[in-house]
Amino acid sequence: MRPSILDPLFAAVTTLDGVGPKVATQFQTLLAGAGETVRVRDLLFHLPSGLIDRRKRAEIALAPEGSIVTLTVRVDRHQAPGRAQRSVPYKVFAQDETGEIALTYFRGQSGWLEKLLPVGETMIVSGRVEWFNGRPSMVHPDFVAPLAEAETLTLVEPVYPMTAGLSPKILRKAITQALERLPELGEWIDPGVMRRESFAAFGASLRGLHDPADAIDLAPEGPGYRRLAYDEFLASQLALALSRQRMKASRGRAMPGTGESSRRVVAALPFTLTDGQDQAVAEIRADMASGERMLRLLQGDVGAGKTVVALMAMATAAESGAQSVLLAPTEILARQHHDGLSRLCEVAGFSLTLLTGRDTGRTRAEKLDAIATGRTQIVVGTHAVFQEAVAYHDLGLVVVDEQHRFGVHQRLSLTRKGASPDLLVMTATPIPRTLVLAAFGDMDVSRLTGKPAGRKPITTVAVPMERLDEIIARAGKAMEAGERLYWVCPLVEESEKSDLMAAEERFRQLSQLFGSAVGLVHGRMSGEEKDRAMADFKAGRTKLVVATTVIEVGVDVPDATIIVIEHAERFGLSQLHQLRGRVGRGAKPSSCVLLYRAPLGETAAARLAVMRDTEDGFRIAEEDLKLRGEGDLLGTQQSGAPFFRIARMEHHADLMEVARDDARLVLATDPELTTPRGECLRALLYLFGKDEAVRLLRSG
Ligand code: ADP
Ligand code: MG
């Protein structure tokens, strides 16, 4: 139950003066999703994006066009329009030593204006100055006051992000009322953190942001903003820690394995495991052997060799008599995993089933039966493996490959099929530590740093589109020399269709030059067609494959050594990195050609420079974060909802780990949030909409 002290903040905005249905709808557009009730709290969390500083006094002749200034003027004369001239504004002329300005009022009433701006009086007026034909005017000044009142005026006003039709005054008035409703809340932040960060109380911080005395009060680096960002992080980390606590409490099973089939897998590998892989396998085994549930994230750059680590985990599960699922984001990848793993599984002595949406009729029924009876130990597939109809005999381990394609929210629902299966999430997007925390919370992390031995670096060059012919000629030479190439075509527009056109056009052109050595794979092809095209390329029947970004994730053709990316300036950094990771997987030196259309924008130029500079996926991810902000990295951009409503990763990332540690410490000593501080933390969870997390508490 939500503490009743919070009730005023959770009242609908329509309970505020001046907020009727129309304004409420505008607030909804501005502050909430469709169908959600906008609450007083949402207004409080709607922070100013800047401020108007009226302290700057200007002289009329020097007032810059379009800027907001405060003038001290003497009212000279009124000029009312004639009775029939409704569209002509009422003008009040006023002056200072430097010149004259027209204060302009449309449909101004003379009685009211004569009182407001008495002729002969010295007044302060503030508003936006516009120059027209060499004459300055101020349309509907924001405020007008006698000089005597100058001291008491609010000269600094916050500016809020707005939506069409909403008046700033109405918003401001609503926020002021919301602040009045803010109850005195007990402090939920650890006293040590409060002191170290010079935080003020929650209420005082909010008031400071909505009522800034200076630009510095609004700065994301300032204590007020930081405090609220920290509150948000703490709420989210506490919620994640609570769900982790619950998952861990639902006893997993001990799957110690025997080591027998794993040993056979290792013996059958054409290479030895890297130290990083050994280490990751050991960490995973230890998790699996314990009775606690495994929640582990395996981070490894493209080509780092995550698949074999997953296989070792699945072998361990099989040795313990349990089934595993390896979930891939696309059919191509599921098939590739299946093909790559089948020989090793055979050697190790367990059966493998590929299950995708393409299986129908008899084959599907047979596969489902093998899964339900436990005849198959490892299931590889797309999300089809979690459909209603798929029943497992005894699912012990779920491995999710290239997780970022699935979206953060689906993660937990994936483990519903088993009693409480261990979970291993593998991601090739080398998300920076802070984002791992934000997205996954306190998952245990294994990192595969470095690439398997013997890998050659990839030479990356950026080449303007004008040199396309030259690049095509070089591609031809490379094919003659037996090299294999990817040719990635651009996102012309957001639409898949134009994407396709570009790829098809390039395919036609290259086919004319190089004949049947050229293949094509794109998202609109059927699964079988895609497979065939990729198989042809893998086997060397085609030497060059023109592709849309369907090849982005995970596709493994070790013999491919060159990747050409057209319109590289249109791709995000992590996408470029993923694409480049398609080459450099074998022993031969590889190269990546970034074809771009000049002139490059600043960000695009920065991205290409980073690509030329480094192959280190973790560094690239950090740079990407700087260039794009967190939304894109986590794939939340499409949904339009920012990951955090207040906190901004580029400014507040350092607070994330503090919040994580604090959340962890709290639950270690007060797992049910029943101490006085625990009670305050419950309020925090509600404030930031983490009601779900509170429900995980015994007395939630
Ligand atoms: P990713 O981490 O991107 O999923 P993969 O698991 O697809 O990487 O591995 C990329 C390639 O590297 C595969 O061809 C795989 O067989 C190979 N590989 C994996 N581990 C090693 C190793 N220790 N030594 C050499 N090659 C390896
Ligand atoms: Mg992979």
Side-chain angles (χ1 to χ4, degrees):
M1 270 272 287
R2 191 172 60 217
S4 55
I5 189 169
L6 294 179
D7 288 352
L9 301 183
F10 282 85
V13 281
T14 40
T15 59
L16 299 169
D17 280 350
V19 183
K22 191 169 136 235
V23 175
T25 310
Q26 290 163 339
F27 282 173
Q28 173 135 24
T29 314
L30 187 64
L31 305 170
E36 281 173 55
T37 314
V38 208
R39 300 174 191 283
V40 171
R41 180 229 17 217
D42 300 315
L43 280 171
L44 290 178
F45 287 167
H46 188 58
L47 298 183
S49 53
L51 48 76
I52 301 178
D53 191 343
R54 301 185 191 279
R55 288 170 303 184
K56 214 180 340 159
R57 296 299 177 87
E59 296 180 315
I60 292 172
L62 300 175
E65 157 72 25
S67 78
I68 289 179
V69 294
T70 303
L71 307 168
T72 307
V73 295
R74 201 170 53 80
V75 180
D76 197 35
R77 64 187 194 283
H78 283 230
Q79 188 187 86
R83 288 217 169 270
Q85 303 171 286
R86 297 214 67 195
S87 62
V88 176
Y90 190 113
K91 288 186 178 176
V92 179
F93 290 93
Q95 55 188 321
D96 64 10
E97 274 94 78
T98 66
E100 185 182 64
I101 189 165
L103 310 174
T104 306
Y105 292 85
F106 288 91
R107 304 221 200 134
Q109 288 172 328
S110 44
W112 178 71
L113 284 168
E114 274 155 19
K115 247 193 235 140
L116 184 72
L117 291 157
V119 173
E121 290 289 316
T122 301
M123 308 288 292
I124 295 179
V125 296
S126 187
R128 194 177 300 284
V129 171
E130 282 162 285
W131 287 81
F132 189 69
N133 285 343
R135 292 182 194 182
S137 71
M138 187 182 284
V139 179
H140 294 241
D142 295 327
F143 71 72
V144 171
L147 186 59
E149 283 174 29
E151 294 304 307
T152 60
L153 293 172
T154 317
L155 293 176
V156 178
E157 278 171 48
V159 181
Y160 292 91
M162 294 296 284
T163 185
L166 180 62
S167 121
K169 279 208 177 106
I170 288 176
L171 176 63
R172 178 85 192 134
K173 204 175 138 206
I175 288 176
T176 306
Q177 293 176 69
L179 283 168
E180 281 159 13
R181 294 203 187 174
L182 191 64
E184 202 58 49
L185 297 170
E187 186 53 71
W188 48 73
I189 297 183
D190 172 72
V193 176
M194 289 291 288
R195 238 174 293 123
R196 200 169 59 241
E197 294 287 339
S198 316
F199 284 158
F202 176 71
S205 301
L206 262 182
R207 288 195 184 90
L209 284 163
H210 285 294
D211 215 352
D214 218 323
I216 193 80
D217 296 335
L218 279 180
E221 306 81 29
Y225 211 132
R226 275 174 73 79
R227 148 100 213 200
L228 288 176
Y230 185 76
D231 286 336
E232 187 168 31
F233 284 158
L234 185 59
S236 112
Q237 286 301 302
L238 193 59
L240 287 164
L242 276 166
S243 78
R244 176 189 156 95
Q245 177 176 283
R246 269 313 103 99
M247 273 185 89
K248 288 273 185 186
S250 63
R251 270 191 84 69
R253 60 198 294 180
M255 295 190 284
T258 59
E260 203 182 307
S261 28
S262 327
R263 260 193 298 280
R264 267 182 289 188
V265 169
V266 172
L269 288 173
F271 47 75
T272 49
L273 294 181
T274 63
D275 290 349
Q277 286 169 322
D278 273 333
Q279 165 100 23
V281 169
E283 287 163 354
I284 291 165
R285 280 227 181 98
D287 284 358
M288 291 177 71
S290 87
E292 265 191 25
R293 219 169 151 184
M294 172 165 79
L295 291 176
R296 186 169 284 277
L297 181 70
L298 176 62
Q299 271 194 297
D301 209 347
V302 256
K306 294 182 291 295
T307 316
V308 62
V309 174
L311 178 60
M312 300 295 281
M314 296 191 291
T316 305
E319 288 164 8
S320 314
Q323 290 173 300
S324 307
V325 155
L326 171 57
L327 184 60
T330 65
E331 239 169 71
I332 289 191
L333 282 175
R335 197 159 293 270
Q336 180 181 293
H337 276 317
H338 175 265
D339 297 349
L341 295 178
S342 57
R343 192 184 61 86
L344 291 167
C345 286
E346 206 172 296
V347 176
F350 32 73
S351 110
L352 178 71
T353 298
L354 174 70
L355 186 69
T356 71
R358 246 195 276 167
D359 294 304
T360 52
R362 270 265 301 284
T363 15
R364 180 173 156 85
E366 270 163 26
K367 287 181 177 184
L368 292 188
D369 185 61
I371 296 169
T373 56
R375 269 195 323 252
T376 197
Q377 281 95 13
I378 299 184
V379 182
V380 177
T382 53
H383 51 271
V385 298
F386 285 106
Q387 274 161 10
E388 217 52 55
V390 188
Y392 290 80
H393 177 63
D394 179 16
L395 182 60
L397 170 68
V398 174
V399 183
V400 184
D401 191 13
E402 316 289 1
Q403 189 273 344
H404 65 291
R405 281 295 172 99
F406 288 100
V408 176
H409 311 290
Q410 276 154 289
R411 186 172 15 115
L412 290 184
S413 69
L414 297 177
T415 62
R416 275 197 216 120
K417 282 279 175 181
S420 39
D422 283 347
L423 177 64
L424 178 67
V425 176
M426 307 199 290
T427 172
T429 311
I431 320 173
R433 177 76 199 147
T434 42
L435 281 192
V436 171
L437 279 175
F440 301 95
D442 212 353
M443 268 182 118
D444 299 302
V445 177
S446 295
R447 267 189 169 193
L448 288 182
T449 45
K451 295 193 176 183
R455 292 278 165 79
K456 299 276 190 305
I458 304 169
T459 312
T460 301
V461 291
V463 176
M465 204 57 190
E466 285 75 54
R467 287 167 55 195
L468 176 65
D469 289 345
E470 185 189 323
I471 297 299
I472 291 178
R474 276 167 53 184
K477 287 252 164 54
M479 280 190 269
E480 274 170 35
E483 310 268 330
R484 219 109 23 104
L485 300 84
Y486 292 103
W487 191 293
V488 180
C489 278
L491 287 152
V492 172
E493 273 159 34
E494 292 297 298
S495 98
E496 222 183 304
K497 204 163 156 197
S498 39
D499 212 15
L500 183 59
M501 265 162 43
E504 278 182 332
E505 204 173 295
R506 189 63 70 220
F507 169 69
R508 256 194 308 277
Q509 184 196 7
L510 294 174
S511 294
Q512 271 167 14
L513 290 168
F514 308 121
S516 61
V518 182
L520 173 68
V521 54
H522 59 70
R524 287 278 181 96
M525 289 167 119
S526 75
E528 278 110 49
E529 286 172 321
K530 270 190 265 185
D531 287 351
R532 207 174 318 121
M534 286 315 293
D536 283 345
F537 184 57
K538 205 161 180 163
R541 287 187 291 275
T542 52
K543 306 266 184 238
L544 183 155
V545 65
V546 177
T548 54
T549 48
V550 288
I551 64 147
E552 184 188 341
V553 174
V555 169
D556 188 27
V557 182
D559 289 330
T561 51
I562 300 172
I563 185 164
V564 178
I565 304 171
E566 276 192 50
H567 279 293
E569 78 279 3
R570 292 183 182 165
F571 291 98
L573 200 41
S574 70
Q575 212 180 1
L576 286 174
H577 179 64
Q578 293 276 343
L579 285 169
R580 181 170 59 183
R582 298 310 107 219
V583 298
R585 306 194 135 221
K588 285 200 265 176
S590 296
S591 49
C592 168
V593 181
L594 304 170
L595 271 177
Y596 66 88
R597 167 101 47 209
L600 281 178
E602 201 178 314
T603 318
R607 282 199 294 259
L608 299 192
V610 172
M611 287 296 290
R612 276 197 312 257
D613 260 20
T614 183
E615 269 188 68
D616 177 346
F618 289 101
R619 222 199 100 194
I620 288 176
E622 302 280 356
E623 298 290 339
D624 204 16
L625 184 60
K626 276 187 222 151
L627 292 173
R628 293 202 296 179
E630 76 273 18
D632 264 10
L633 268 187
L634 290 171
T636 51
Q637 207 79 322
Q638 290 90 329
S639 71
F643 206 70
F644 293 106
R645 62 194 298 174
I646 292 176
R648 307 233 306 264
M649 278 298 173
E650 63 276 31
H651 297 292
H652 305 126
D654 64 306
L655 292 173
M656 178 69 81
E657 258 177 273
V658 185
R660 192 271 318 261
D661 290 346
D662 200 14
R664 187 189 266 179
L665 203 66
V666 165
L667 289 192
T669 53
D670 183 15
E672 297 294 331
L673 300 184
T674 47
T675 64
R677 184 179 170 213
E679 296 287 341
C680 298
L681 282 162
R682 285 177 187 232
L684 172 72
L685 288 171
Y686 281 112
L687 269 176
F688 282 93
K690 305 289 180 192
D691 307 25
E692 294 284 341
V694 187
R695 252 169 250 133
L696 293 171
L697 295 166
R698 218 168 286 141
S699 53

